[in-house]
Amino acid sequence: MGLDKIADTLRLREFEKVAPLKRVADKVGLPVHVLLIAAGGLSLVLIVFNYGSNMISSVIGFLYPAYMSFKALESKSSTDKDFREWLTYWVVYSFLVAVDPILSIAFFWLNPFYYLIKVAFYVALFHPKTRGASIIYERYLRDLLKRYENQIDEGLRKINEGIDTTVTQAKPHLANAAANATASQFGK
C-alpha cells in the first residue's frame, strides 16, 4: 500500500490546511500527509519498544480529538451531530482515563502491547468509520451513568459544598498570609 493510499484511507490530506503542520512540513520538505505518516510510524516504533508510550498514547487520545472539538465549536457549519459526536468521545475518554490505572495493572502482562492496543483503541473511538465512542457510550456508559446519576449528582453537590466551605474559611487566612508576605517582601 503506497503512502497516497494510506493518506486517503486515514483522511490525512485534511491536515494540509493546518497552518502549524504545513509550516513544519514545508521546513522538512515533505507534504503534510507524509510527515504525519512518518510521525505515526515513529510513534508506532517507540510504542513497541516502550519509549514514551504513555505520553504518545495520551497525545493521540487527546490532541486530535481536542482539535476536532475546537473545529466543531468554531465552525458555522457544525451540526448538533458534530457536537454530540465529540461530547460522546470526551465522556468515554474521561471514563477510560479514570479507569486506566486499573486497566494498566490488570493488563501489565501485555506490555509493550498495552500502549499499542490503547492507541488503536483511541483511534477506533474517534475515527468516523468506527464511531467506537458512540458504540461504547450507547451500549455501556449511558445506562451506567443513568443508573447512578442521582448518587453522582448528590456526591458532586457535597463536594461543591465542601469546597465552598473550605474557600470561605480559608479566605481570611490567605488574605493575611498574602499581606504578611507582601509586607516582608517590601519591608513594611
Side-chain angles (χ1 to χ4, degrees):
M1 182 182 285
L3 293 181
D4 288 332
K5 178 76 170 151
I6 293 170
D8 292 339
T9 301
L10 298 176
R11 298 172 46 187
L12 296 177
R13 294 185 199 283
E14 294 176 17
F15 290 95
E16 298 286 341
K17 301 171 195 153
V18 179
L21 285 177
K22 184 73 173 135
R23 281 193 298 272
V24 171
D26 289 345
K27 283 185 181 182
V28 296
L30 294 171
V32 171
H33 69 278
V34 173
L35 181 67
L36 291 173
I37 291 169
L42 177 61
S43 296
L44 183 64
V45 168
L46 291 173
I47 288 170
V48 167
F49 290 105
N50 206 19
Y51 291 107
S53 302
N54 189 31
M55 182 189 73
I56 292 167
S57 67
S58 295
V59 165
I60 290 170
F62 184 81
L63 280 184
Y64 176 77
Y67 181 73
M68 295 309 290
S69 297
F70 160 75
K71 295 288 280 184
L73 287 170
E74 295 301 317
S75 172
K76 292 181 184 356
S77 64
S78 290
T79 64
D80 284 347
K81 182 179 178 255
D82 297 325
F83 293 124
R84 183 171 177 79
E85 177 182 334
W86 289 111
L87 281 171
T88 301
Y89 174 83
W90 290 114
V91 169
V92 173
Y93 178 82
S94 298
F95 178 79
L96 291 173
V97 167
V99 299
D100 186 58
I102 297 164
L103 293 175
S104 63
I105 291 169
F107 295 109
F108 76 96
W109 51 272
L110 284 173
N111 199 7
F113 299 106
Y114 174 73
Y115 288 105
L116 195 57
I117 292 166
K118 188 174 174 179
V119 166
F121 190 71
Y122 283 155
V123 171
L125 287 178
F126 63 67
H127 199 280
K129 289 188 178 185
T130 55
R131 298 180 23 92
S134 294
I135 293 167
I136 289 171
Y137 178 77
E138 298 293 330
R139 289 188 186 167
Y140 306 105
L141 280 181
R142 181 174 54 195
D143 291 342
L144 179 70
L145 290 170
K146 284 200 171 285
R147 184 177 318 132
Y148 295 104
E149 186 174 8
N150 291 334
Q151 292 95 321
I152 293 168
D153 287 344
E154 180 60 20
L156 290 173
R157 186 189 62 73
K158 287 179 181 178
I159 289 170
N160 282 329
E161 282 179 2
I163 290 170
D164 287 346
T165 301
T166 302
V167 168
T168 301
Q169 292 172 351
K171 255 185 187 177
H173 301 292
L174 292 173
N176 287 337
N180 291 336
T182 302
S184 68
Q185 180 71 26
F186 296 108
K188 293 182 180 178

